[in-house]
Amino acid sequence: MAVDVFSVPIFLVVFREALETVIIISVLLAFLKQTLDGPNRDVKVYRKLVRQVWLGTGLGFFLCLVIGGALIGVFYTAGGNRWENSELNYEGAFSLIASVIITAVGVALLRIGKMQEKWRVKLAVALEAPIRTGGRKGVIKRFLEKYAMFALPFITVLREGIEAIVFVAGVTFSAPASAVPLPVIVGLLAGAVVGYILYKSGSSTKLQVFLVASTCLLYLVAAGLFSRAVWYFEQQKWNTLVGSDAAELGDGPGSYDITKSVWHVNCCSPQSEGGNGWGFFNAILGWTNSATYGSVISYNVYWIFVISMFVVMRFREVKGHWPLRKPKSVAQPVAGQEKGQESENDGIVERRSAGDEQTEC
Amino acid sequence: MAWLRPPRLSSLVRQLGFLALASAATVKYDFEIGWVTANPDGMAERSTIGINGQWPLPRIEANVGDQIIVNVLNSLGDQSTSLHFHGLFMNGSNHMDGPSQATQCPISPGSRFTYNFTIDQPGTYWYHSHDHGQYPDGLRGPLIIHDPDSPFKDDYDEELVLTVSDWYHDQMPGLLDFFISKANPTGAEPVPNSALLNDTQNLKISVEPGKRYLFRVINVGAFAGQYLWFEGHNMTIIEVDGVYHQQAEATMIYLSAAQRCSFIITAKNDTSENFPIVSSMDTSLFDKLPDDLNWNVTGWLTYDSTKPFPDPAVVDGDYEPFDDWTLVPWDNQTIYGEPDQSISLDVIMDNLDDGANYAFFNDITYRAPKVPTLYTALSAGELATDATVYGKYTHPFVLEKGQVVEIVVNNIDPGKHPFHLHGHNFQAVWRSEEEAGTFQDSGVTSANFSEVPMRRDTFVLYPNGNIVLRFLAYNPGVWLFHCHIEWHVQSGLMATFVEAPLDLQKSLVIPQNHKDACAAAGVPTVGNAAGNSANYLDLSGQNVPPGLIPEGFTTRGIVALVFSIISGLLGVAVIAWYGFVGMADQPAVEPAGAGVVSPADPPVVVAEPKGPTPTEVSLVDGAGGGGTRT
């Protein structure tokens, strides 16, 4: 897989964003089909609402493309040269943002079922809420409530899309421009396909294996990105210190700060021209030929954090409360919490209902 | 603006010397070295090292055969110092040569030191500090030895001394800190801020029509070579570095740092115009050319001070200076025969593990010993002929008295280097073109050498080329051989010749004031390069340069890589665990046609935890079936 036509990190994130978007749409459409296309048929309303869903999705998607295209265009034309002096700072910042986003969002792939549930709940609440009238306050809010079928997919697609764009923009700093289109397209297609499969056939072990594997890969990429971000910041400081001579030093002595170096080999640099293979290792695993204390320690710290995060989340799932905190008491009335609390991070939705029912399955 | 008239004193001394025949004088100087401020290029005032409150420094002048005594008092307050008399053989007085930690201890602030030696060589020389890269801060001045018996004495009417120099606005300690640091990994030498003629600019030298002037020109700079020419006038070279040569005509000469050249200029017979003198720095040495740098300095031969002083003409294309290698020595000394010792030195610049760039002869970069090399030679007894006692990093070579010694220097660096040998001048037997490669590979043999080679004590080596030098080891002493670019002296481009050390032990007595200076500086005067006076062959503790940069992975790197791989694998395992363990008790991914919540149903959902749960949540099937697997 040549890195200069296919950037794996871009593929992974676009795939993930596409997948979540397709899930939302599939839930909405299925719901509409269920309620309005079944025994209590109301064709006109059904068609109208389906149109709303597609309109919302389509507009959100289109807006994403526009904004994304504009942002990337700006980066490449106006920003390209101006940032040369502190180019690595920007690369570092984007790598960091990308890493954080993946870390926060990646876990959802492992709980697709929860994702579906979350959307079902949101949907139900949105449709259930009475349309409020009166006053200039909350015009937008009321509009959104009335046109929930439009607003939900629109906002979600927009949000997911911008997330993906920020990441793509950050990654494209280091990858050549030619490595962007293909993974974006493939990611969209793959997300759409998988989403459709989910729509039709539900989950299975094979699907879970696939999801687990792709999430592992995603986190490896995020770990690499985090380490790289730290590396970029340190390298920028070094380039500023050495000044104009830095460019002519290649991979040899003087191209890096030897007092901070943990290892350095004069070959195998992901940055160098013929660095295709090593660039791939850099993208997936964060490999660098010139590692610093910062880059090595940050890589390990990242994994420690992720491991703890997953262990804690599992604890929460099993025990129902965060570790070291008291379990919450039963049956707390929760007026006005109709939408429920949710943590975007892990897709867990917890709801307390007034007069809760207990049902064992 | 400065006017220069030939000093009356020198001609008086010459006349006296002539009358006094063989009676040699003692010339005494009391030099108090201290800080003054100076602004020779009018661009920046800076602290400069002066002597007796004065800068430019006083000239040392004497006749052949005179004894010179220089009493030095270091009033700098914050730096040590020393004085080296460049080009003088110091035969029998090696301890007066001057380089710190080679032939003496540094002179600490407040200490005194007396240099006392006899001159037996005529010519144009100079004196300068030879301690921690100090002389470019101003401590350098001319030293002229007059010769009543000069073969050219009837060829000129007056003598003038002219110095050319580069000049920095910043002080050397700060510049050196940057030069040898990880922030300068390419070893780029700091670029000078301007050029000076006689330590000033816009110098005007008044000349009378028809008179013949002997110009004694010295490059007292730190770094830059200088191209020198006098518009409208030719130069007749008679002496370089104190060695008389057959007269040679030149329109432009090149002087590297530390080189000297004496030539005769005949003034024109009419006074209708004044002629520019230009000295132009060799910018091929500079890492970059700042926009505000004027690398030329101008002066004028003034025939008539009322006439205009024209700007110098721009020279198109490359400079074509006189090639000093083509000179023929006046005494026709033929080339020394096959050498008894041939030393090959490769000039290499490389980085060490502190990230800084250092200069090497072969694989050794110079580090000063703990005991000055001369004092080791004097105290080591029989072991003084064993190069080990002088340490590895002084790069010592022991020479026997009377040997013909050959030095082959190969330049493995794309920069020019002027090489200087203390205590001798040498026959410049061969110089290759630029890019000729090493001497050993070039196919040149002694058949190509000059039969009557020119002689001097500072000779330029071209980029990626080679030179061959020969001299006779008749002068017992510790003599340094080094590049005279002061930056490279500090970064280690230096070797030490220990010539006839056993003879030194018999003849040399170190005066008390030298020993006092050592005591004040806290430097031992007996022992080997590591300061060990019990076992001279034990060099542990000698001063060493930073280590070599490790090739590839070190232990630290391997540990870090393995640890990181383990973290990654562990992380991936945890993720997989989380993903699969969730399958058992998480809501399954449902086909979209199922499990849709209808608005009528009570709100729903999530996670059915295993084990006791304080919060019960219910999962309600919507119409249409499907459900959550538990």
Side-chain angles (χ1 to χ4, degrees), chain B residues 476-524:
Chain B
V478 168
W479 309 114
L480 293 177
F481 177 70
H482 61 90
C483 171
H484 216 288
I485 291 176
E486 195 62 5
W487 305 113
H488 299 164
V489 171
Q490 295 305 115
S491 65
L493 198 51
M494 189 142 70
T496 312
F497 290 117
V498 180
E499 192 169 321
L502 298 177
D503 287 57
L504 269 181
Q505 290 173 355
K506 291 184 202 126
S507 57
L508 220 54
V509 176
I510 305 295
Q512 188 56 39
N513 70 86
H514 289 206
K515 293 185 189 161
D516 292 342
C518 290
V523 174

Side-chain angles (χ1 to χ4, degrees), chain B residues 225-432:
Chain B
Q226 306 256 7
Y227 296 94
L228 178 67
W229 68 93
F230 295 71
E231 277 189 23
H233 296 72
N234 278 354
M235 302 173 266
T236 306
I237 300 172
I238 62 168
E239 174 230 312
V240 287
D241 291 0
V243 182
Y244 291 125
H245 286 75
Q246 311 260 4
Q247 289 165 326
E249 293 293 310
T251 50
M252 180 192 289
I253 61 168
Y254 180 85
L255 283 176
S256 77
Q259 285 183 331
R260 290 86 67 206
C261 183
S262 299
F263 48 83
I264 298 169
I265 290 190
T266 307
K268 292 184 188 304
N269 275 320
D270 77 87
T271 60
S272 55
E273 50 181 320
N274 301 317
F275 291 85
I277 308 168
V278 184
S279 188
S280 182
M281 292 198 284
D282 182 357
T283 54
S284 73
L285 297 167
F286 298 168
D287 179 58
K288 54 180 183 279
L289 283 180
D291 290 330
D292 57 350
L293 172 67
N294 179 3
W295 56 84
N296 301 317
V297 58
T298 312
W300 288 271
L301 288 175
T302 308
Y303 286 89
D304 182 345
S305 57
T306 62
K307 296 284 191 313
F309 294 97
D311 283 333
V314 172
V315 175
D316 263 333
D318 293 327
Y319 291 137
E320 282 166 34
F322 180 81
D323 182 357
D324 61 332
W325 190 66
T326 61
L327 289 170
V328 180
W330 180 258
D331 60 6
N332 282 314
Q333 184 190 73
T334 51
I335 184 175
Y336 290 122
E338 272 307 297
D340 299 303
Q341 213 182 117
S342 180
I343 293 163
S344 180
L345 299 171
D346 289 349
V347 174
I348 297 170
M349 306 289 193
D350 200 3
N351 297 70
L352 294 177
D353 75 4
D354 62 344
N357 190 270
Y358 290 90
F360 295 76
F361 269 140
N362 301 337
D363 59 342
I364 298 177
T365 183
Y366 183 89
R367 274 287 136 142
K370 289 190 170 158
V371 174
T373 309
L374 172 60
Y375 299 158
T376 300
L378 293 175
S379 63
E382 287 300 310
L383 287 172
T385 50
D386 184 345
T388 322
V389 307
Y390 303 109
K392 177 171 177 193
Y393 298 100
T394 54
H395 209 159
F397 297 92
V398 177
L399 310 176
E400 282 174 35
K401 185 135 186 230
Q403 277 187 327
V404 170
V405 182
E406 178 179 81
I407 311 176
V408 177
V409 189
N410 295 314
N411 198 351
I412 321 289
D413 176 64
K416 278 186 196 145
H417 297 276
F419 281 102
H420 168 53
L421 178 60
H422 287 224
H424 298 268
N425 48 44
F426 45 70
Q427 295 181 336
V429 142
W430 173 254
R431 172 163 61 200
S432 78

